[in-house]
Amino acid sequence: MLAQNWCLLIELHGRIEAHVERALQAEHGLSVREFGLLEVLSRQYSGGGGHLRMGEVAEAVMLSRSAATRLVSRMEDRGLLSRYLCPDDRRGIYTEVSPAGLELLERARPTNDAALRQALDEASRRPELVPLVEVVRTL
């Protein structure tokens, strides 16, 4: 039973992520990971220690450090993020959202929210997913 429930959770996640990915790509040229990174970084404050180090970025978007570095590099090339050396530890690199990244995030949030609602509505048509959908909706 536990394994079945786990498989249902994975299925729900996959359905939601695929639906949101298509919507974000079509409307804003963003992947789910890119949107997630902009969202996480937008909640950081300016000033010393207020941004995430690359290891924290990787953890926040559930990627390996090398994959997170590639993601940040691609987004930096698009002008959505910037990186700078930690003033206290020259080995540390912080990442922050650029004004263009914040603007894109604001435009993409309604698309993300609508796609999430649509994905949950579609998933709730499968009786075995209904309890999980309800949990997600109440969080």
Side-chain angles (χ1 to χ4, degrees):
M1 185 67 161
L2 185 59
Q4 284 178 315
N5 291 342
W6 176 246
C7 287
L8 288 172
L9 182 60
I10 291 170
E11 179 184 344
L12 179 62
H13 175 269
R15 286 171 173 268
I16 292 170
E17 187 171 55
H19 190 89
V20 172
E21 178 85 23
R22 285 189 300 273
L24 287 172
Q25 281 290 345
E27 295 292 322
H28 307 285
L30 277 176
S31 71
V32 168
R33 295 269 193 236
E34 291 168 335
F35 177 87
L37 181 53
L38 289 175
E39 186 67 52
V40 167
L41 290 173
S42 74
R43 294 190 301 254
Q44 304 305 309
Y45 60 90
S46 297
H51 300 284
L52 296 180
R53 290 177 178 251
M54 289 305 297
E56 295 168 319
V57 167
E59 187 176 310
V61 293
M62 296 178 279
L63 291 172
S64 67
R65 280 183 176 228
S66 61
T69 299
R70 288 190 301 272
L71 175 65
V72 167
S73 293
R74 285 192 309 271
M75 293 178 73
E76 187 176 35
D77 290 346
R78 292 171 57 194
L80 303 174
L81 303 176
S82 62
R83 289 185 271 194
Y84 63 94
L85 289 174
C86 173
D88 302 328
D89 179 0
R90 303 300 281 176
R91 296 170 297 165
I93 297 174
Y94 286 124
T95 303
E96 67 182 353
V97 181
S98 70
L102 288 172
E103 181 182 317
L104 179 57
L105 177 62
E106 287 304 312
R107 288 194 323 265
R109 277 184 177 135
T111 303
N112 182 72
D113 292 348
L116 283 170
R117 283 190 295 277
Q118 290 172 339
L120 289 170
D121 288 346
E122 288 176 16
S124 67
R125 293 184 195 127
R126 300 234 1 241
E128 64 274 17
L129 294 177
V130 169
L132 293 172
V133 169
E134 290 175 2
V135 167
V136 172
R137 283 188 169 139
T138 60
L139 290 177

